[in-house]
């Protein structure tokens, strides 16, 4: 009863906790509903197929979302004969997929991303696709296209494939984004097969067909039917969905963490304001355990109310979040949110756990208040730093500085991770040290202004020094947000710039030819850049489920890059012709490959070939695990597209545009982040920074509203002492601006120190100067919002308090 009475009396003090928990439960409920609704779906192309055989899968623990190991042409023919004889199967059809994109008015249209839209006409039965007009393709230069392109049967059309633009004739149209060519033409473009669809006879027993098909393929494939057909989802779509899930999980984790932070800071600041109240309770016989129980009861009551509100809002807003995920490309079209009781119940329960964790530290501090100490002590905090706070702050700060040093000498990937850990440790350390650091900063700020010292500035300075906890409670969330926002945005910019520069430095390029409106560069686009250094990525499959990424390097690219490679065994001169490769030392150790040995490798066409390891290089010599010649890659991977071409010259835009390419300077290329993954990462950053900023605004507003509401008597005394209303408001505004400035300074210090460590490490690794590109727009927005909210949250309540008569309030 006492807890409920306290909440009714001090409802303004609990408003911030209620909003923080309510918002947290709302986000948790939304993300939980979207996560439980996000499941793989059967691709539209296979909507009319009941039984499918998929080639053997590979290990996915490396997070690359590599497709299954393809069958060769010979093995595909054997499986077609075996599956065609299964009772109930009318026809077994291989699904051949290759890159195809229409060129209209001199420009490629409808960038397919990583999706392969070219197929053999026989696989149209999987849909099944119905001709809108015209007929099926028969010749090698006939194609069925999407009716939305507006091309009638008999019209000429240019298709961009891996070899370059090719002239075709439209034989028919369908309502599909795919391009269908004759089976013979598709076999030349996509010899490797990963899926064989079984067209069942009318009335066939699907389960019996699936069982017989499994016996026919043995261990060389996996039979899918029913709900298992969702495993046919493209790896690119699976990767996109996975990134979306990481964003949702990060949202949920950040929500829980910051909710605890806001609740803990609210109750911690409330302890300072309620010391006399707790002292009176101790005086009349309340035990420390009862004080703790009262605070837990207060938090539980607020948590239940906020949890119920959050669950209701989360259920209402979840469909809107699902729509945003679809628009952002993080969920497939047609994705809908399904309402389930378990995610909502879990979100409500987690909200209560957050409420209890947030009040834990504050309740322990309140229980330690002695009756006489609380009754004698003024509102001034004489000991803002406890022994435990000193120790914890020192440990986290030392850990952060150590990780900064470690990050500078780390590899590229571990460098980024170590830098993040370093910044997190430093943020926690400086947040703990804030009450001790703030007096020093306040004196340093006012020392240059000593000659201009007036009554207003003196009162603001002394108020900040005496109410250290209030200043620290306002500065701490600003420190966290500014440091977090600047660090993450700066890391992203530096990582994109550094990794883009890594190959341009090795290739000594002044310009880069890259894709524009296409997923990669065709052979024709590469040939349009004389003397260019090109990279042709592919995938290699070793024994069992092992696989490794490889890149085919042109002679120019290899000759320029080899000067920066460190050979640990063999000779780089051996990389020539077909079926030779250079391997990174870690990859060779993992797969058991040794220099001078020929090892069996399966390529994208499904053929297994013995490839000779001519040299091993150190891991920092190349970004790719295996280096091949472009001739080797093209001989076994007819669908591979070149990623970039590095050149020291320039190429005419009119030549590159019809080929889906563009020429950029190295500076432009390094700053570009327009790939699909980078767009998703940008969304990720915007969400996390936005949530962090939102919660920080809540913490600032809550702290200042609580503090200002309790200072009505102080304002009245100032008025009785001769201060005008404008002077009082100026004092309040100065205190708030000073707190935001302190948090900003400490946050920027942490972010810049960490970013400088990464800059030093990347520059050393790349052998060139990597610029420190601070995210000025993010920085300005974050600081501006924090400052504006701090001023509004302090000045408006102060203005309302000043409306009362000075004498009445002072009493």
């Amino acid at each position: 009863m006492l807890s409920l009475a306290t909440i009714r009396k001090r409802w303004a003090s609990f408003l911030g906790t209620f909003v923080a928990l309510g918002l947290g439960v709302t986000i948790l409920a939304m993300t939980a509903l979207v996560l439980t609704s996000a499941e793989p779906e059967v691709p539209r192309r296979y909507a009319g197929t009941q039984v499918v055989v998929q080639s053997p899968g590979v290990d996915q623990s490396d997070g690359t979302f590599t497709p299954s190991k393809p069958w060769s042409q010979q093995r595909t023919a054997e499986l077609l004969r075996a599956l065609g004889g299964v009772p109930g199967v009318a026809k077994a059809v291989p699904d051949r997929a290759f890159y195809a994109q229409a060129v209209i008015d001199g420009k490629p249209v409808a960038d397919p991303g990583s999706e392969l839209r070219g197929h053999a006409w026989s696989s149209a039965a999987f849909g099944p696709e119905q001709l809108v007009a015209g007929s099926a393709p028969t010749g090698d230069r006939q194609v069925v296209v999407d009716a939305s392109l507006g091309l009638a049967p008999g019209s000429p059309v240019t298709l961009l494939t891996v070899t370059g633009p090719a002239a075709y004739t439209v034989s028919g149209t369908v309502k599909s984004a795919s391009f269908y060519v004759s089976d013979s033409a598709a076999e030349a473009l996509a010899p490797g097969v990963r899926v064989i669809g079984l067209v069942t006879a009318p009335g066939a027993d699907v389960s019996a067909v699936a069982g017989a098909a499994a016996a026919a393929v043995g261990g060389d494939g996996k039979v899918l039917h029913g709900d298992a057909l969702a495993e046919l989802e493209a790896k690119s779509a699976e990767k996109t969905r996975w990134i979306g899930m990481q964003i949702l999980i990060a949202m949920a984790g950040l929500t829980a963490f910051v909710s605890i932070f806001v609740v803990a800071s609210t109750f911690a600041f409330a302890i300072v304001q309620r010391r006399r109240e707790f002292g009176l309770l101790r005086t009349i016989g309340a035990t420390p355990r009862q004080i703790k129980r009262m605070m837990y009861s207060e938090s539980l009551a607020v948590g239940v109310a906020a949890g119920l509100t959050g669950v209701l809002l989360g259920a209402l807003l979840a469909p809107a979040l699902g729509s945003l995920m679809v628009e952002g490309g993080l969920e497939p079209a047609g994705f809908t949110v399904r309402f389930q009781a378990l995610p909502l119940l879990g979100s409500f329960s987690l909200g209560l756990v957050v409420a209890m964790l947030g009040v834990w530290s504050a309740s322990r501090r309140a229980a330690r208040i002695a009756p006489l100490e609380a009754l004698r002590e003024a509102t001034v905090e004489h000991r803002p730093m406890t022994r435990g706070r000193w120790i914890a702050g020192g440990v986290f700060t030392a850990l952060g500085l150590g990780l900064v040093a470690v990050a500078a000498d780390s590899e590229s990937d571990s460098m980024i991770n170590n830098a993040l850990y370093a910044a997190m440790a430093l943020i926690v350390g400086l947040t703990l040290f804030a009450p001790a650091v703030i007096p020093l900063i306040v004196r340093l700020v006012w020392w240059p202004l000593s000659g201009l010292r007036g009554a207003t500035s003196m009162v603001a300075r002394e108020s900040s020094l005496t109410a250290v906890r209030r200043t620290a409670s306002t500065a701490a969330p600003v420190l966290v947000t500014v440091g977090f926002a600047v660090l993450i945005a700066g890391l992203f910019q530096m990582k994109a710039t550094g990794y883009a520069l890594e190959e341009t430095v090795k290739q000594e390029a002044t310009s880069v030819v890259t894709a524009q409106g296409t997923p990669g560069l065709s052979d024709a686009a590469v040939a349009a850049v004389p003397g260019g250094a090109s990279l042709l990525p592919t995938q290699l499959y070793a024994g069992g489920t092992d696989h490794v990424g490889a890149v085919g390097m042109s002679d120019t690219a290899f000759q320029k890059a080899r000067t920066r490679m460190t050979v640990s065994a063999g000779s780089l001169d051996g990389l020539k012709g077909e079926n030779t490769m250079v391997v990174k030392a870690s990859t060779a150790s993992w797969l058991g490959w040794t220099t001078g040995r020929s090892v069996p490798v399966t390529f994208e066409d499904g053929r297994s070939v013995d490839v000779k390891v001519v040299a091993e290089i150190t891991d920092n010599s190349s970004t790719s695990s295996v280096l091949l010649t472009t001739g080797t890659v093209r001989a076994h991977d007819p669908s591979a597209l070149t990623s970039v071409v590095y050149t020291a010259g320039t190429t005419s835009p009119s030549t590159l545009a019809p080929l889906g390419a563009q020429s950029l300077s190295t500076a432009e290329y390094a700053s570009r982040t327009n790939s699909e993954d980078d767009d998703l990462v940008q969304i990720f950053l915007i969400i996390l920074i936005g949530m962090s900023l939102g919660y920080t605004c809540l913490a600032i507003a809550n702290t200042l509203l609580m503090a200002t509401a309790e200072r009505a008597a102080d304002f009245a005394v100032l008025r009785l002492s001769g201060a005008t209303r404008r002077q009082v408001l100026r004092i309040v505004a100065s205190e708030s601006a000073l707190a935001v400035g302190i948090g900003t300074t400490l946050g920027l210090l942490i972010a810049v120190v960490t970013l400088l460590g990464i800059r030093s490490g990347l520059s050393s690794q790349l052998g060139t100067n990597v610029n420190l590109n601070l995210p000025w727009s993010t920085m300005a927005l974050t600081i501006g919002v924090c400052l504006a909210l701090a001023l509004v949250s302090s000045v408006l309540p102060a203005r309302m308090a000043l409306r009362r008569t000075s004498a009445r309030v002072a009493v």
Side-chain angles (χ1 to χ4, degrees):
M1 296 299 296
L2 182 59
S3 298
L4 294 177
T6 302
I7 293 175
R8 287 195 298 269
K9 178 66 176 178
R10 292 181 170 271
W11 64 269
S13 300
F14 294 98
L15 181 60
T17 303
F18 174 81
V19 175
L21 285 175
L23 179 60
V25 174
T26 299
I27 296 176
L28 290 174
M30 287 193 303
T31 55
L33 286 174
V34 174
L35 279 173
T36 54
S37 302
E39 297 178 354
E41 298 180 354
V42 180
R44 181 181 177 276
R45 289 198 62 250
Y46 300 101
T49 308
Q50 294 180 302
V51 183
V52 164
V53 180
Q54 190 179 44
S55 61
V58 297
D59 181 28
Q60 300 290 342
S61 60
D62 59 354
T64 56
F65 296 90
T66 303
S68 58
K69 185 177 180 180
W71 294 303
S72 64
Q73 287 182 309
Q74 180 181 356
R75 183 55 180 157
T76 299
E78 295 172 355
L79 290 174
L80 289 175
R81 287 192 295 268
L83 294 170
V86 170
V89 175
K91 187 178 182 181
V93 180
D95 186 18
R96 303 185 185 277
F98 56 91
Y99 165 65
Q101 190 173 358
V103 178
I104 298 179
D105 295 331
K107 292 184 179 180
V109 296
D111 182 2
S114 57
E115 183 181 357
L116 299 177
R117 293 185 178 176
H119 302 281
W121 174 248
S122 59
S123 65
F126 298 157
E129 299 288 5
Q130 300 293 329
L131 284 167
V132 176
S135 59
T138 53
D140 288 346
R141 288 298 179 179
Q142 289 187 337
V143 62
V144 172
V145 301
D146 188 356
S148 64
L149 294 177
L151 300 174
S155 302
V157 63
T158 298
L159 287 188
L160 193 59
T161 63
V162 292
T163 58
Y168 281 79
T169 300
V170 176
S171 65
T173 60
V174 291
K175 291 182 179 180
S176 170
S178 299
F179 298 91
Y180 293 100
V181 298
S182 65
D183 289 5
S184 60
E187 185 173 352
L189 293 169
V193 174
R194 290 185 167 91
V195 173
I196 297 177
L198 304 183
V199 180
T200 55
D205 186 340
V206 174
S207 298
V209 170
V217 299
D220 198 16
K222 183 179 182 180
V223 177
L224 307 175
H225 72 285
D227 294 338
L229 289 173
E231 295 184 28
L232 295 173
E233 182 181 48
K235 290 299 178 182
S236 58
E238 184 180 343
K239 182 178 181 180
T240 299
R241 188 189 300 277
W242 179 84
I243 295 176
M245 291 181 65
Q246 302 314 302
I247 292 177
L248 293 176
I249 293 173
M251 286 174 58
L254 182 63
T255 296
F257 172 78
V258 182
S259 295
I260 294 175
F261 177 82
V262 173
V263 174
S265 64
T266 299
F267 277 102
F269 187 65
I271 295 299
V272 179
Q273 294 184 317
R274 298 173 64 184
R275 294 184 70 89
R276 293 175 179 172
E277 176 186 327
F278 291 133
L280 287 173
L281 291 175
R282 293 299 311 281
T283 302
I284 62 177
T287 65
R289 179 175 296 181
Q290 289 175 318
I291 296 294
K292 285 185 179 180
R293 190 182 306 162
M294 184 183 73
M295 295 200 67
Y296 275 117
S297 299
E298 294 171 359
S299 182
L300 181 62
V302 176
V304 170
L308 293 175
T309 304
V311 166
L312 177 61
L313 291 176
L316 294 175
L317 296 176
L321 177 61
S323 299
L324 290 176
M325 298 289 285
V326 173
E327 292 179 7
L330 299 173
E331 289 294 343
F335 169 77
T336 56
V337 175
R338 299 191 305 272
F339 291 97
Q340 305 172 60
L342 187 59
L344 297 177
L345 180 61
S347 301
F348 176 80
S349 302
L350 188 57
L352 295 183
V353 172
V354 168
M356 296 297 101
L357 290 175
V359 78
W360 175 76
S361 177
S363 65
R364 288 170 56 88
R365 189 182 307 162
R368 289 196 296 265
I369 296 177
L372 293 179
E373 175 188 357
L375 291 174
R376 292 172 182 171
E377 191 171 347
T379 56
V380 179
E381 184 70 29
H382 294 298
R383 193 186 175 208
M385 292 291 295
T386 62
R387 179 183 302 176
R389 191 166 186 137
W390 277 109
I391 295 174
V395 170
F396 277 104
T397 302
L399 177 62
L401 292 175
L403 287 174
V404 169
V406 171
D409 294 328
S410 302
E411 297 290 335
S412 295
D413 292 336
S414 57
M415 180 191 301
I416 299 296
N417 293 332
N418 289 335
L420 286 172
Y421 298 145
M424 292 172 62
L426 288 174
I427 285 175
V428 174
L430 283 189
T431 301
L432 292 172
F433 276 138
V437 174
I438 283 174
L440 298 176
I441 298 179
V442 172
R443 290 185 174 94
L444 286 175
V445 169
W446 251 271
W447 176 68
L449 305 177
S450 57
L452 302 176
R453 184 177 301 170
T456 301
S457 61
M458 181 186 68
V459 173
R461 183 196 63 183
E462 296 301 323
S463 178
S464 299
L465 289 174
T466 54
V468 175
R469 281 203 175 273
R470 183 184 71 230
T471 307
S473 297
T474 307
V478 178
L479 183 158
V480 174
T481 298
V482 172
F484 183 72
V486 175
L487 175 65
I488 290 185
L491 279 176
F492 172 75
Q493 290 184 3
M494 190 175 298
K495 180 180 177 182
T497 302
Y499 286 1
L501 278 174
E502 186 161 3
E503 284 298 339
T504 59
V505 169
K506 291 180 180 179
Q507 300 300 332
E508 301 175 358
T510 59
S511 62
V512 180
V513 175
T514 185
Q516 183 180 36
T518 60
L521 300 175
S522 65
D523 292 347
V526 175
V529 188
S534 61
L535 304 176
L536 188 62
T538 190
Q539 193 73 211
L540 303 181
Y541 302 86
T545 61
D546 294 331
H547 61 94
V548 62
V551 63
M553 304 186 74
S554 65
D555 291 340
T556 304
F558 181 66
Q559 294 304 322
K560 290 183 178 181
R562 66 179 297 174
T563 59
R564 297 177 178 269
M565 297 181 184
T566 302
V567 180
S568 55
S571 173
L572 297 176
D573 294 334
L575 187 64
K576 54 187 175 182
E578 293 187 10
N579 302 334
T580 59
M581 62 181 172
V582 174
V583 186
K584 287 169 63 170
S586 59
T587 303
S589 176
W590 163 48
L591 296 173
W593 294 350
T594 56
T595 303
R597 176 187 168 196
S598 294
V599 295
V601 173
T602 300
F603 287 87
E604 281 293 315
D605 59 359
R607 287 193 293 164
S608 294
V609 179
D610 288 340
V611 182
K612 185 178 181 180
V613 180
V614 299
E616 292 182 27
I617 56 177
T618 57
D619 287 355
N620 60 356
S621 295
S622 173
T623 56
S624 180
S625 298
V626 177
L627 303 181
L628 305 166
T629 64
T630 53
T632 300
V633 175
R634 181 55 74 212
H636 297 284
D637 191 352
S639 296
L641 291 168
T642 298
S643 51
V644 293
V645 178
Y646 302 98
T647 178
T650 58
T651 307
S652 172
S654 60
T655 302
L656 296 176
L659 302 175
Q662 60 180 335
S663 179
L664 303 172
S665 67
T666 54
E668 291 174 328
Y669 175 67
S671 63
R672 283 287 181 106
T673 55
N674 55 356
S675 68
E676 179 182 1
D677 286 352
D678 289 337
D679 288 341
L680 297 180
V681 173
Q682 286 280 28
I683 296 174
F684 174 80
L685 293 176
I686 291 172
I687 291 176
L688 292 188
I689 292 176
M691 286 181 57
S692 178
L693 183 60
Y695 268 111
T696 297
C697 292
L698 178 62
I700 294 172
N702 185 56
T703 300
L704 290 176
L705 284 172
M706 291 172 58
T708 307
E710 295 289 331
R711 299 177 64 190
D714 295 341
F715 298 153
V717 171
L718 287 173
R719 292 282 287 124
L720 290 174
S721 300
T724 64
R725 288 188 177 183
R726 179 172 296 181
Q727 287 177 318
V728 174
L729 294 178
R730 191 181 302 160
I731 293 171
V732 174
S734 299
E735 294 171 1
S736 301
L738 178 62
V740 173
I742 292 172
T744 299
T745 302
L746 297 178
L748 288 177
L749 176 64
I750 292 172
V752 171
V753 166
T754 309
L755 290 173
L756 285 174
I758 291 190
R759 174 180 177 269
S760 175
L762 283 178
S763 298
S764 176
Q765 286 188 6
L766 302 181
T768 186
N769 184 41
V770 177
N771 294 326
L772 177 62
N773 297 322
L774 291 178
W776 297 106
S777 58
T778 301
M779 190 187 310
L781 176 63
T782 304
I783 298 172
V785 171
C786 291
L787 178 60
L789 189 66
L791 293 176
V792 171
S793 301
S794 59
V795 172
L796 287 184
R799 186 176 181 181
M800 294 176 62
L802 288 171
R803 291 178 179 176
R804 308 175 188 178
T805 60
S806 299
R808 178 182 175 184
V809 176
V811 173

